Amino acid sequence: MRLTTAQALVAWLIAQRCEMLDGREAPLFPAVFAIFGHGNVLGLGTALHERRDELPVWRGHTEEGMALAAVGYAKAAHRRQVGVATSSIGPGALNMVTAAGVAHANRLPLLLLPGDTFTGRAPDPVLQQVEHFGDPTGTVNDAFRAVSRYFDRVTRPEQLIATLPQAVGVLTDPAEAGPVVLALPQDVQAETYDFPDALFHPVVHRPARPRPDLRALADAVAALRGAQRPLLILGGGVRYSGAGPTALGFAESHGLPVVETTAGRTLVPHDHPLYAGPLGITGSASANAMAAEADLVLAIGTRLQDFTTASWTVFAPDVRLVTINVARFDAVKHGALAVVGDAEATVRELDGQVGQWRVDPEWTARAAALRDTWDAHVDALRAPTPGLPSYAQVVGVVNDLSGPDDYVMTASGGLPGELVGGWRAIGGAPTMDVEYGFSCMGYELAGAWGAAMAHPDGVVTTLLGDGSYLMLNSELFSAAFAGHPFVAVVCDNDGYAVIARLQEGQGGEPFNNFYADCRSRHEHPPRVDFAAHAAALGCSVFTATDLDGFRDAYAKARAAAQAGCRPAVLVVRTQPAVWTEAGAWWEIGVPEHLAGRAAYDEKKRRQVRYLRP
């Protein structure tokens, strides 16, 4: 077919299909988020327009926001589908680098198509071009290299024949999944070439399920059989593999207590007798207590990030670590006994080889006993109190009124600790997205737009603070304009409250976090009217100032989102200094002259630096 580079790329995108977790076939690339400018409007923009009935294009209002929406889509689709975002050259392209970082840190597939400067260089320097005096081949798109799993600059049309299979291989590989960046010089987008028809034949991509090495599996079996107090950790890889039911069945067969990571949240129903709660700093005291007593940890599908391990202080110093991970890079960390393979396939084989082995019933029973204590603690935090509601109370209301098909999100500030630690999952399907790999402020609204597109059967609720709202709110209008409803709960506590907590909790002076501690020439600085702002962006708006009012307003916001085709924003004033504490430590640099340095030094002495194989 004689096509332009852009036409060929679009035709190839349309030809790619995927297999969803339930076995349905669907488009691998279900949507393109686009802001056009010089660098992509005529080449790629024209090609997208010609195939607009086959590949939906949604207009964003910030490049970062629309790329984050693509990330949110991929997470809600459990990595089976991939969002695409395209921008013009220069600042438009650079605005997507943060979203690439979010996808990279969270192992989520994302296809970015930034425009690039002319390969012919005849008009150089062009508008928005950054020139490198000693390297004329360098452009701003090279900034993506640090946050890409695969990067290519397409300087000839025929390069697509070689690079597209590599790109889709990364996007659909369970071990390599992450952002792919194909920089598209604007002159090359418009060049024509006789592409082979085979490039555009439909292909169905099914995630590979690599099986483990039998010797490594045998070692893991021996380690399990030798353990007295084993603990099972379920991470995001269990979700993406669709291995939740299999992993839980394995735990039931052998009496293994179960905890979850942030990315693995809502894999286990909250009232399951083996469930000890979420692990780590933003987790629960019950799971952390189990981790401190465990003599073996079987970690499936997790990279054991510092918030999960409490900066490697949550486990006993002599704990044995066994990992099951499709990515060797993650499996071999921390001196673990590494079993490299797909979570679903590996757990099935492990179960078959462990046989009739079971854990001591007293250890098994500790999971429910400790979780009951944690539940009572959370119940007390959720109980009605006079005045402004706390984050825990807000989360409790959202939890109470949500159903098994609903989807809840957050990303930054204090809300991840409240949502991860306090949420009670109703069913066994993953229904939570806490972006705490990159903790990107602004993901809460943009990601919710993408999640609402991918998750149309239930209500998507995103929770965020006033700081995140002010950082990136443009995609509220994008979602309202496009007709994709969700509920956004904006908790206004007058500043960056969780960072103020960190600052003051280590002995620092209040400075530049709460508005009261920021420099201003006004005696009475202005406040943001979030409700009026959200209404101006086309959203339904509700407000609340106390817990009863919030419950009523949230019910109305849910109804409005279900009945309408636009986001419903609920603004509520919240307590600035009331938190859910899991009793875990997080390592962060503390200067010697601050009061928190003594506790820091003590925790450093107890930190597990290297686990025995």
Side-chain angles (χ1 to χ4, degrees), residues 35-54:
I35 294 177
F36 293 136
H38 89 91
N40 70 339
V41 65
L42 293 177
L44 190 56
T46 299
L48 288 168
H49 176 262
E50 292 168 348
R51 306 293 294 271
R52 62 191 179 278
D53 293 334
E54 300 164 271

Side-chain angles (χ1 to χ4, degrees), residues 6-18 25-32 47-57 84 111 164 199-205:
Q7 288 173 323
L9 176 56
V10 170
W12 177 84
L13 291 172
I14 293 169
Q16 309 308 301
R17 310 286 292 174
C18 70
E25 185 181 311
L28 178 64
F29 302 104
V32 176
L48 288 168
H49 176 262
E50 292 168 348
R51 306 293 294 271
R52 62 191 179 278
D53 293 334
E54 300 164 271
L55 182 58
V57 176
V84 184
L111 178 58
L164 291 179
L199 185 64
F200 312 114
H201 289 175
V203 178
V204 180
H205 299 275

